[in-house]
Amino acid sequence: EGLADYIPVRHTNRNSVPQQAPISEEVLNTLSDITKTIKGADLKWLVQKEDVKEIGKIIGACDRIRLLNTKGHADFVQREMRWTSEDAEHTKDGIDVMTLGLSRPQVTALEILREPKVIQFLHDINGGSLLAEATVRSIDNSGAIGLITLPEISAMNYINGGRAMEKVWLASEKFGLAVHPVISPLYLFPRILQGNGDDLTQENIEELKALRKRFKAAFGIEDALAEVFLFKVSYAPPMNKRAFRLPIQKVLFRNDS
């Protein structure tokens, strides 16, 4: 397949621009076929404008729920994000705030959300709609939304799903497509399906149940699947800055005994 050549250039591209041309059905079908080279893996696409808009609203709502949730906010601020270039270079993991494709004023606005008191205030006034709207705008500017699944939930299926994800991502790079994971629903839905609502408020749970129904309807799926990777693909300019990468010795462990 010649995909290994694209490992050095694979990256998340969060640049969001209106699409000037659709992604061809041939390209999307090829990406689906590549997914299926991993036994049991499947790739479902949403390409119609109304379907993309619907899934954007669902993802946006999940983003809002996560950020207004105490533990979700802590996970985002402390574990996931790197708020300075120095921190990003030191850890070489997480998401460098300067790779989000945001303008300087937008980065400043995002940094305000680091404060738990701000999040609590938004929660108390039932606010946070702008958090969802930013996601909706980004999703609207996509050529397609993809969901990689496997037939049932198991550790091995998630490993194989990761293999399928890597192949699809590399092939997307080959086709000149920007890939952007949009996976907050895949963080939250398992908590109401298998996790007894852990760390969620009753209000969160009820809203997520309604969002789950819409998500299943959009993709035409049932609950038994392992939902591995949710992402947008689009034609977009290259990122001005890319995240650092850990050296291979830090992420690959071999048992040579």
Side-chain angles (χ1 to χ4, degrees):
E1 298 170 352
L3 298 181
D5 293 341
Y6 294 88
I7 291 174
V9 299
R10 185 192 69 83
H11 68 289
T12 296
N13 187 333
R14 297 181 178 86
N15 280 330
S16 178
V17 295
Q19 298 298 283
Q20 302 301 314
I23 301 171
S24 74
E25 185 176 351
E26 180 182 3
V27 167
L28 296 179
N29 287 341
T30 298
L31 293 174
S32 296
D33 290 342
I34 288 171
T35 304
K36 293 173 183 176
T37 62
I38 301 299
K39 185 178 179 180
D42 189 29
L43 174 52
K44 301 180 184 300
W45 290 111
L46 299 181
V47 295
Q48 298 300 319
K49 196 66 178 175
E50 59 271 21
D51 295 331
V52 170
K53 188 172 289 290
E54 166 69 355
I55 205 67
K57 292 176 181 177
I58 295 168
I59 297 168
C62 288
D63 283 352
R64 175 180 51 77
I65 291 170
R66 183 191 178 204
L67 282 175
L68 295 185
N69 176 277
T70 301
K71 289 202 172 181
H73 178 260
D75 184 68
F76 174 76
V77 170
Q78 299 170 17
R79 186 191 66 83
E80 184 171 294
M81 292 301 300
R82 300 293 174 263
W83 296 98
T84 67
S85 296
E86 292 77 15
D87 192 21
E89 186 170 4
H90 174 71
T91 62
K92 291 185 169 59
D93 62 7
I95 300 174
D96 184 342
V97 70
M98 299 310 296
T99 68
L100 293 179
L102 302 176
S103 66
R104 186 70 252 182
Q106 288 172 321
V107 170
T108 301
L110 183 63
E111 288 175 340
I112 294 172
L113 298 177
R114 295 172 64 180
E115 294 296 327
K117 289 181 180 179
V118 173
I119 293 299
Q120 187 61 52
F121 173 74
L122 291 174
H123 181 272
D124 291 345
I125 66 171
N126 197 28
S129 61
L130 289 178
L131 301 176
E133 289 173 12
T135 298
V136 171
R137 287 195 299 273
S138 175
I139 298 297
D140 278 351
N141 287 335
S142 63
I145 305 295
L147 175 67
I148 295 177
T149 65
L150 276 92
E152 61 184 24
I153 296 170
S154 71
M156 185 54 67
N157 273 347
Y158 278 101
I159 291 171
N160 286 330
R163 294 171 60 209
M165 175 203 76
E166 181 73 9
K167 296 181 81 170
V168 168
W169 201 326
L170 294 175
S172 297
E173 295 282 357
K174 183 177 181 179
F175 287 125
L177 293 172
V179 177
H180 178 188
V182 285
I183 56 177
S184 61
L186 307 192
Y187 291 157
L188 295 175
F189 290 152
R191 289 180 176 268
I192 62 170
L193 296 173
Q194 296 96 30
N196 299 315
D198 288 353
D199 300 321
L200 298 172
T201 66
Q202 190 58 40
E203 181 183 8
N204 291 157
I205 291 170
E206 294 306 316
E207 185 174 4
L208 285 168
K209 285 180 178 179
L211 291 169
R212 177 64 183 170
K213 289 181 180 179
R214 291 166 59 188
F215 185 88
K216 288 164 59 178
F219 281 107
I221 59 172
E222 296 300 330
D223 286 332
L225 296 175
E227 297 160 26
V228 177
F229 191 53
L230 180 65
F231 62 106
K232 59 174 276 195
V233 289
S234 61
Y235 292 111
M239 296 290 294
N240 291 328
K241 185 175 183 180
R242 299 182 184 181
F244 292 99
R245 292 188 178 183
L246 288 166
I248 193 169
Q249 296 83 358
K250 294 285 187 180
V251 295
L252 178 64
F253 300 92
R254 302 175 63 171
N255 184 357
D256 296 323
S257 60

